[in-house]
Amino acid sequence: MTEIQAVFIDRDGTIGGTGHFIHPCDFQPYAYSKDAIHLLKAQGIPLFACTNQWRISKGQATMDDFYEEFKSDDLDDAFICPHGPDDECTCRKPKPGLLFEAAEKYHLDLSKTMFIGDTGTDMQAADAAGAKKILVRTG
Ligand SMILES: [Mg+2]
Ligand SMILES: [Zn+2]
């Protein structure tokens, strides 16, 4: 089996929630998400959240709110796009910027990473970065 260097996980609709904005204070992972996260961690695979959170740009939450949340979910790091749809950034999924950011920080070969998400947007970002992908139906 090919070595997996890291797994990227979308937040809303994948780890928990409804697929829509929920403030980190109120976010509840699905019961089985914690188990899945711990199974992957037991394999020694680093887990990174990879999420669009445009409401950060509206001041409705901060990057730190999200970093705290992902830490409490036992993820190893988080890559977050705080921009709005009209900001023309390079990190908002379906663009692959968040994955490139992670690859640079952790020296990853993205073809040896996996993206788990619940939308076509996630799958497009994975494709654009050359990552393997898993579409879940929870979202
Ligand atoms: Mg999602
Ligand atoms: Zn962005």
Side-chain angles (χ1 to χ4, degrees), residues 10 12-14 118-119 122:
D10 170 57
D12 297 284
T14 302
D118 71 311
T119 63
D122 296 319

Side-chain angles (χ1 to χ4, degrees), residues 80-83 89-92:
I80 302 167
C81 168
H83 307 111
C89 70
T90 57
C91 50
R92 184 178 167 82

Side-chain angles (χ1 to χ4, degrees), residues 75-138:
L75 299 182
D76 296 290
D77 204 347
F79 296 88
I80 302 167
C81 168
H83 307 111
D86 301 326
D87 290 345
E88 295 182 15
C89 70
T90 57
C91 50
R92 184 178 167 82
K93 297 177 290 183
K95 290 183 182 160
L98 295 176
L99 287 89
F100 293 149
E101 196 185 319
E104 190 167 311
K105 184 168 177 183
Y106 292 99
H107 308 289
L108 302 171
D109 174 348
L110 287 171
S111 70
K112 295 179 178 168
T113 65
M114 184 84 74
F115 196 116
I116 304 173
D118 71 311
T119 63
T121 305
D122 296 319
M123 300 301 103
Q124 286 171 45
D127 277 339
K132 303 176 202 309
K133 53 195 194 289
I134 296 177
L135 179 65
V136 296
R137 306 196 59 180
T138 39

Side-chain angles (χ1 to χ4, degrees), residues 44-95:
I45 300 172
L47 304 180
F48 304 134
C50 186
T51 182
N52 291 348
Q53 296 296 339
W54 63 273
R55 284 168 197 256
I56 293 172
S57 72
K58 302 285 179 221
Q60 295 176 22
T62 66
M63 294 287 270
D64 279 342
D65 292 335
F66 283 97
Y67 289 135
E68 281 301 311
E69 175 201 311
F70 291 126
K71 208 190 290 172
S72 75
D73 294 334
D74 289 324
L75 299 182
D76 296 290
D77 204 347
F79 296 88
I80 302 167
C81 168
H83 307 111
D86 301 326
D87 290 345
E88 295 182 15
C89 70
T90 57
C91 50
R92 184 178 167 82
K93 297 177 290 183
K95 290 183 182 160

